[in-house]
Amino acid sequence: MDTVSMHQALITELPLVDALFDQYAERFGRDQTAYRNHVYRLVNLVALQQPLTEDTLEKLQVAAFFHDAGIWLAGTFNYLSPSARLACHYLHETGRGAWSAEVQDMILDHHKLSACEPGKTALVEAFRRADWIDLSRGLLRFTVPRPALRAVLCRFPNAGFHRRLLTLFLRQMATEPWRPLPMLRR
C-alpha cells in the first residue's frame, strides 16, 4: 500500500472527515470550524510521528472525527465512552467493524496522562501524543519538529477550539466540581 508522507506536505483533504462533518453539521453548529481544524491538526500530527498507509489514514480519520464528538453528539463533557460508541457504531455500519478495537483504544486513551500500555498499537500512542500536542498548543511536542508543528498550526488555526474547551470546563466545574475533567485517564 502507498504510504502518505507528511514530511513533504500537509494533509489538507480528508474526504471521510469532511463527509462526517457534512452529515453532522447541524449538531456542531458554530463549533464546526474549530473542531474540524482540531481534527485536521491531529491527523497531521500523527502523520508527523509515523508513516501512514491508506488504511491507517482512513482508520485515523474515523478516530479523529469521533474522539471528542461526544461533546456535541451526545451532549456531555464526559465524552470518551459516548465518542467511542459512536465511532464503533459508524465502523460497523460502514463495514469496517474489524477496526473497532483499535479506534476505540485511540478514543479512550487519547487523554491518558502517561504512555499507552504495551500491547496497544503505535497508532494509539501517536494519537494520544498528537492530542496532547494540540491541547498544549505545542508546549508538548514529543518527536514533532517545531517547524512542522508551526506549519500545521498555521494551516489549521485554532478558530476558538481552546476557548470552547475552557467554556465547557467552567460549566463542568459549576455543575460537578468534584469531577472537573472526567475524561482524563492515568
Side-chain angles (χ1 to χ4, degrees):
M1 288 202 180
D2 294 335
T3 298
V4 176
S5 175
M6 264 305 299
H7 302 290
Q8 296 171 9
L10 292 174
I11 298 171
T12 59
E13 293 182 16
L14 296 169
L16 198 154
V17 165
D18 292 338
L20 285 165
F21 272 111
D22 288 346
Q23 180 179 343
Y24 291 105
E26 214 172 280
R27 302 288 294 277
F28 287 100
R30 67 173 201 240
D31 293 331
Q32 183 163 321
T33 298
Y35 186 55
R36 181 190 301 261
N37 284 357
H38 174 58
V39 168
Y40 269 80
R41 287 191 303 268
L42 286 187
V43 170
N44 278 282
L45 291 169
V46 169
L48 285 165
Q49 297 175 65
Q50 68 178 54
L52 302 175
T53 64
E54 288 179 30
D55 279 352
T56 304
L57 179 58
E58 194 169 319
K59 191 183 303 180
L60 177 58
Q61 287 182 69
V62 173
F65 175 81
F66 284 105
H67 81 286
D68 292 341
I71 293 170
W72 295 273
L73 304 182
T76 180
F77 198 54
N78 190 8
Y79 54 84
L80 292 182
S81 292
S83 295
R85 278 192 301 276
L86 288 163
C88 288
H89 179 75
Y90 170 80
L91 289 169
H92 286 286
E93 277 192 339
T94 59
R96 300 174 181 105
W99 295 351
S100 290
E102 189 174 20
V103 168
Q104 185 170 354
D105 284 346
M106 283 191 274
I107 293 169
L108 294 177
D109 288 353
H110 83 273
H111 282 305
K112 277 182 57 73
L113 298 172
S114 58
C116 294
E117 302 84 26
K120 301 277 175 115
T121 67
L123 186 60
V124 173
E125 177 61 14
F127 190 77
R128 183 192 74 82
R129 289 190 308 246
D131 195 67
W132 279 108
I133 292 167
D134 195 60
L135 184 64
S136 73
R137 294 181 141 184
L139 291 175
L140 299 172
R141 287 186 302 112
F142 299 97
T143 60
V144 175
R146 196 175 310 274
L149 175 60
R150 271 195 299 269
V152 171
L153 297 176
C154 284
R155 177 61 177 87
F156 304 104
N158 188 277
F161 182 71
H162 288 82
R163 184 178 40 234
R164 181 67 171 137
L165 292 180
L166 178 60
T167 301
L168 293 167
F169 167 73
L170 293 173
R171 185 179 303 151
Q172 178 73 17
M173 283 291 294
T175 58
E176 295 184 67
W178 57 92
R179 284 181 7 141
L181 296 169
M183 77 297 289
L184 285 183
R185 303 284 188 258
R186 286 186 167 198

